[in-house]
């Protein structure tokens, strides 16, 4: 693969989102170790910036006609790494942060199942890109995680309530979109193999 295609601007933005994940985790550890809300604020700022790259990498790729199979693979992977890492840390921070472990387990199991399905599809020579339902799921998950990371009341508004409400909406979208991906995969690939 041409290096210029691999390291084009959209792919670099996606890779930056992947690299942001461990730093968000580290900042949340800072929050846990030192009980300082600044860890939460900086983690929120970095998480927000990383999420913004998700919008721009796709927009730039479409405008510059630089959409690649690598980008189609890395883009949803970057979302999963960023969001799942943050969710695990929010559970680790304790019940005061309002993130039930069972919700995170369901979300992560779905992401693993869909990632495995994408890997099988890739072996068949196909790249399964995110559809509209999957993108909506990612957007709601990102909003939920962002509010929950911010955590502390702001001028009388408690972001935890908004974050938890969005998290349960994201949970429903996560399960529904995961089922849609798996059904579509079965219909297209397993079904066609059985007919052969």
């Amino acid at each position: 693969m041409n290096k210029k295609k691999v390291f084009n601007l959209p792919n670099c933005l996606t890779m930056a989102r992947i690299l942001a994940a461990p730093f968000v985790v580290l900042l949340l550890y800072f929050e846990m170790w030192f009980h300082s809300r600044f860890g939460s604020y900086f983690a929120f700022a970095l998480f927000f910036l990383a999420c913004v790259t998700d919008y721009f990498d796709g927009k730039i790729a479409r405008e510059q006609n630089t959409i690649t199979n690598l980008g189609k693979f890395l883009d949803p992977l970057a979302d999963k790494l960023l969001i799942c890492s943050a969710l695990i840390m929010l559970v680790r921070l304790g019940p005061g942060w309002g993130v039930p472990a069972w919700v995170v387990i369901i979300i992560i199991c779905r992401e693993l199942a869909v990632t495995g399905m994408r890997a099988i599809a890739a072996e068949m020579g196909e790249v399964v890109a995110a559809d509209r339902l999957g993108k909506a799921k990612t957007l709601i998950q990102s909003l939920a995680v962002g509010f929950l990371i911010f955590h502390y009341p702001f001028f009388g508004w408690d972001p935890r309530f908004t974050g938890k409400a969005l998290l349960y909406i994201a949970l429903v979208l996560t399960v529904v979109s995961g089922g849609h991906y798996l059904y579509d995969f079965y219909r297209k690939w397993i079904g066609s193999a059985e007919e052969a």
Side-chain angles (χ1 to χ4, degrees), residues 54-170:
D54 190 25
Y55 169 76
F56 283 106
D57 61 13
K59 181 179 174 63
I60 294 169
R62 289 187 295 272
E63 289 178 351
Q64 296 183 351
N65 195 26
T66 54
I67 296 173
T68 64
N69 285 341
L70 179 65
K72 289 179 182 179
F73 172 76
L74 286 180
D75 185 60
L77 178 63
D79 297 332
K80 289 171 175 41
L81 288 173
L82 183 64
I83 291 171
C84 290
S85 297
L87 283 172
I88 291 169
M89 276 306 301
L90 289 171
V91 172
R92 177 71 178 85
L93 285 165
W97 290 69
V99 181
W102 66 269
V103 171
V104 177
I105 290 169
I106 291 173
I107 289 173
I108 291 176
C109 286
R110 180 271 189 198
E111 304 300 3
L112 289 173
V114 171
T115 299
M117 177 271 296
R118 281 194 169 106
I120 295 171
E123 285 291 322
M124 298 175 177
E126 294 291 331
V127 176
V128 181
D131 61 13
R132 289 184 178 180
L133 190 58
K135 290 178 180 178
K137 176 269 303 180
T138 300
L139 174 61
I140 300 299
Q141 281 183 350
S142 299
L143 289 171
V145 171
F147 285 125
L148 290 166
I149 288 175
F150 194 82
H151 182 69
Y152 294 100
F154 186 72
F155 289 105
W157 167 65
D158 188 349
R160 287 175 299 179
F161 178 80
T162 306
K164 284 188 73 172
L166 288 171
L167 183 63
Y168 286 112
I169 294 171

